[in-house]
PDB file of all heavy atoms in Angstrom:
ATOM      1  N   PRO A 151     -43.091 -46.442  35.380  1.00 75.00           N
ATOM      2  CA  PRO A 151     -42.340 -47.606  35.867  1.00 75.00           C
ATOM      3  C   PRO A 151     -41.713 -47.324  37.220  1.00 75.00           C
ATOM      4  O   PRO A 151     -41.372 -46.177  37.530  1.00 75.00           O
ATOM      5  CB  PRO A 151     -41.246 -47.790  34.795  1.00 75.00           C
ATOM      6  CG  PRO A 151     -41.711 -47.010  33.616  1.00 75.00           C
ATOM      7  CD  PRO A 151     -42.534 -45.884  34.155  1.00 75.00           C
ATOM      8  N   ASN A 152     -41.540 -48.363  37.997  1.00 75.00           N
ATOM      9  CA  ASN A 152     -40.958 -48.212  39.328  1.00 75.00           C
ATOM     10  C   ASN A 152     -39.448 -48.402  39.247  1.00 75.00           C
ATOM     11  O   ASN A 152     -38.886 -49.344  39.788  1.00 75.00           O
ATOM     12  CB  ASN A 152     -41.583 -49.214  40.301  1.00 75.00           C
ATOM     13  CG  ASN A 152     -41.162 -48.954  41.740  1.00 75.00           C
ATOM     14  OD1 ASN A 152     -40.828 -47.830  42.093  1.00 75.00           O
ATOM     15  ND2 ASN A 152     -41.170 -49.989  42.559  1.00 75.00           N
ATOM     16  N   PHE A 153     -38.785 -47.510  38.555  1.00 68.00           N
ATOM     17  CA  PHE A 153     -37.338 -47.584  38.411  1.00 68.00           C
ATOM     18  C   PHE A 153     -36.657 -47.137  39.711  1.00 68.00           C
ATOM     19  O   PHE A 153     -37.139 -46.234  40.396  1.00 68.00           O
ATOM     20  CB  PHE A 153     -36.852 -46.676  37.280  1.00 68.00           C
ATOM     21  CG  PHE A 153     -37.245 -47.143  35.915  1.00 68.00           C
ATOM     22  CD1 PHE A 153     -37.505 -46.217  34.916  1.00 68.00           C
ATOM     23  CD2 PHE A 153     -37.350 -48.486  35.616  1.00 68.00           C
ATOM     24  CE1 PHE A 153     -37.867 -46.626  33.650  1.00 68.00           C
ATOM     25  CE2 PHE A 153     -37.700 -48.909  34.357  1.00 68.00           C
ATOM     26  CZ  PHE A 153     -37.967 -47.976  33.366  1.00 68.00           C
ATOM     27  N   PRO A 154     -35.507 -47.745  40.033  1.00 60.00           N
ATOM     28  CA  PRO A 154     -34.719 -47.209  41.154  1.00 60.00           C
ATOM     29  C   PRO A 154     -34.323 -45.762  40.851  1.00 60.00           C
ATOM     30  O   PRO A 154     -33.988 -45.434  39.714  1.00 60.00           O
ATOM     31  CB  PRO A 154     -33.488 -48.115  41.183  1.00 60.00           C
ATOM     32  CG  PRO A 154     -33.905 -49.362  40.458  1.00 60.00           C
ATOM     33  CD  PRO A 154     -34.889 -48.919  39.422  1.00 60.00           C
ATOM     34  N   ASN A 155     -34.374 -44.911  41.854  1.00 62.00           N
ATOM     35  CA  ASN A 155     -34.018 -43.497  41.682  1.00 62.00           C
ATOM     36  C   ASN A 155     -34.879 -42.811  40.623  1.00 62.00           C
ATOM     37  O   ASN A 155     -34.433 -41.912  39.922  1.00 62.00           O
ATOM     38  CB  ASN A 155     -32.536 -43.352  41.319  1.00 62.00           C
ATOM     39  CG  ASN A 155     -31.631 -43.951  42.371  1.00 62.00           C
ATOM     40  OD1 ASN A 155     -31.829 -43.733  43.550  1.00 62.00           O
ATOM     41  ND2 ASN A 155     -30.655 -44.727  41.935  1.00 62.00           N
ATOM     42  N   MET A 156     -36.112 -43.266  40.485  1.00 64.00           N
ATOM     43  CA  MET A 156     -36.998 -42.690  39.472  1.00 64.00           C
ATOM     44  C   MET A 156     -37.213 -41.207  39.731  1.00 64.00           C
ATOM     45  O   MET A 156     -37.421 -40.800  40.873  1.00 64.00           O
ATOM     46  CB  MET A 156     -38.348 -43.411  39.493  1.00 64.00           C
ATOM     47  CG  MET A 156     -39.342 -42.903  38.487  1.00 64.00           C
ATOM     48  SD  MET A 156     -38.756 -43.114  36.810  1.00 64.00           S
ATOM     49  CE  MET A 156     -39.887 -42.042  35.940  1.00 64.00           C
ATOM     50  N   THR A 157     -37.140 -40.409  38.693  1.00 83.00           N
ATOM     51  CA  THR A 157     -37.361 -38.972  38.833  1.00 83.00           C
ATOM     52  C   THR A 157     -38.805 -38.664  38.450  1.00 83.00           C
ATOM     53  O   THR A 157     -39.124 -38.505  37.282  1.00 83.00           O
ATOM     54  CB  THR A 157     -36.393 -38.187  37.939  1.00 83.00           C
ATOM     55  OG1 THR A 157     -36.523 -38.645  36.607  1.00 83.00           O
ATOM     56  CG2 THR A 157     -34.959 -38.375  38.393  1.00 83.00           C
ATOM     57  N   TYR A 158     -39.642 -38.575  39.433  1.00 91.00           N
ATOM     58  CA  TYR A 158     -41.066 -38.418  39.166  1.00 91.00           C
ATOM     59  C   TYR A 158     -41.398 -37.066  38.555  1.00 91.00           C
ATOM     60  O   TYR A 158     -42.337 -36.957  37.764  1.00 91.00           O
ATOM     61  CB  TYR A 158     -41.868 -38.654  40.445  1.00 91.00           C
ATOM     62  CG  TYR A 158     -41.770 -40.087  40.918  1.00 91.00           C
ATOM     63  CD1 TYR A 158     -41.112 -40.411  42.097  1.00 91.00           C
ATOM     64  CD2 TYR A 158     -42.313 -41.121  40.158  1.00 91.00           C
ATOM     65  CE1 TYR A 158     -41.006 -41.733  42.515  1.00 91.00           C
ATOM     66  CE2 TYR A 158     -42.212 -42.443  40.574  1.00 91.00           C
ATOM     67  CZ  TYR A 158     -41.558 -42.743  41.751  1.00 91.00           C
ATOM     68  OH  TYR A 158     -41.445 -44.045  42.146  1.00 91.00           O
ATOM     69  N   MET A 159     -40.638 -36.035  38.885  1.00 93.00           N
ATOM     70  CA  MET A 159     -40.907 -34.744  38.253  1.00 93.00           C
ATOM     71  C   MET A 159     -40.585 -34.802  36.760  1.00 93.00           C
ATOM     72  O   MET A 159     -41.300 -34.218  35.944  1.00 93.00           O
ATOM     73  CB  MET A 159     -40.109 -33.636  38.932  1.00 93.00           C
ATOM     74  CG  MET A 159     -40.500 -32.240  38.481  1.00 93.00           C
ATOM     75  SD  MET A 159     -42.224 -31.798  38.891  1.00 93.00           S
ATOM     76  CE  MET A 159     -42.083 -31.532  40.657  1.00 93.00           C
ATOM     77  N   TYR A 160     -39.533 -35.523  36.405  1.00 92.00           N
ATOM     78  CA  TYR A 160     -39.211 -35.723  34.984  1.00 92.00           C
ATOM     79  C   TYR A 160     -40.359 -36.460  34.289  1.00 92.00           C
ATOM     80  O   TYR A 160     -40.811 -36.059  33.216  1.00 92.00           O
ATOM     81  CB  TYR A 160     -37.916 -36.500  34.827  1.00 92.00           C
ATOM     82  CG  TYR A 160     -37.628 -36.907  33.399  1.00 92.00           C
ATOM     83  CD1 TYR A 160     -37.231 -35.967  32.461  1.00 92.00           C
ATOM     84  CD2 TYR A 160     -37.757 -38.230  32.992  1.00 92.00           C
ATOM     85  CE1 TYR A 160     -36.979 -36.334  31.139  1.00 92.00           C
ATOM     86  CE2 TYR A 160     -37.508 -38.607  31.686  1.00 92.00           C
ATOM     87  CZ  TYR A 160     -37.111 -37.649  30.765  1.00 92.00           C
ATOM     88  OH  TYR A 160     -36.871 -38.025  29.461  1.00 92.00           O
ATOM     89  N   ALA A 161     -40.841 -37.540  34.914  1.00 93.00           N
ATOM     90  CA  ALA A 161     -41.951 -38.284  34.328  1.00 93.00           C
ATOM     91  C   ALA A 161     -43.186 -37.398  34.196  1.00 93.00           C
ATOM     92  O   ALA A 161     -43.903 -37.447  33.191  1.00 93.00           O
ATOM     93  CB  ALA A 161     -42.266 -39.516  35.179  1.00 93.00           C
ATOM     94  N   ALA A 162     -43.436 -36.563  35.200  1.00 95.00           N
ATOM     95  CA  ALA A 162     -44.579 -35.648  35.134  1.00 95.00           C
ATOM     96  C   ALA A 162     -44.434 -34.690  33.960  1.00 95.00           C
ATOM     97  O   ALA A 162     -45.408 -34.386  33.256  1.00 95.00           O
ATOM     98  CB  ALA A 162     -44.696 -34.868  36.438  1.00 95.00           C
ATOM     99  N   SER A 163     -43.201 -34.219  33.717  1.00 96.00           N
ATOM    100  CA  SER A 163     -42.983 -33.298  32.597  1.00 96.00           C
ATOM    101  C   SER A 163     -43.260 -33.985  31.267  1.00 96.00           C
ATOM    102  O   SER A 163     -43.776 -33.365  30.329  1.00 96.00           O
ATOM    103  CB  SER A 163     -41.554 -32.744  32.628  1.00 96.00           C
ATOM    104  OG  SER A 163     -40.596 -33.691  32.184  1.00 96.00           O
TER     105      SER A 163
END
Side-chain angles (χ1 to χ4, degrees):
N152 189 26
F153 291 147
N155 301 315
M156 180 62 195
T157 55
Y158 294 113
M159 189 63 74
Y160 172 73
S163 76

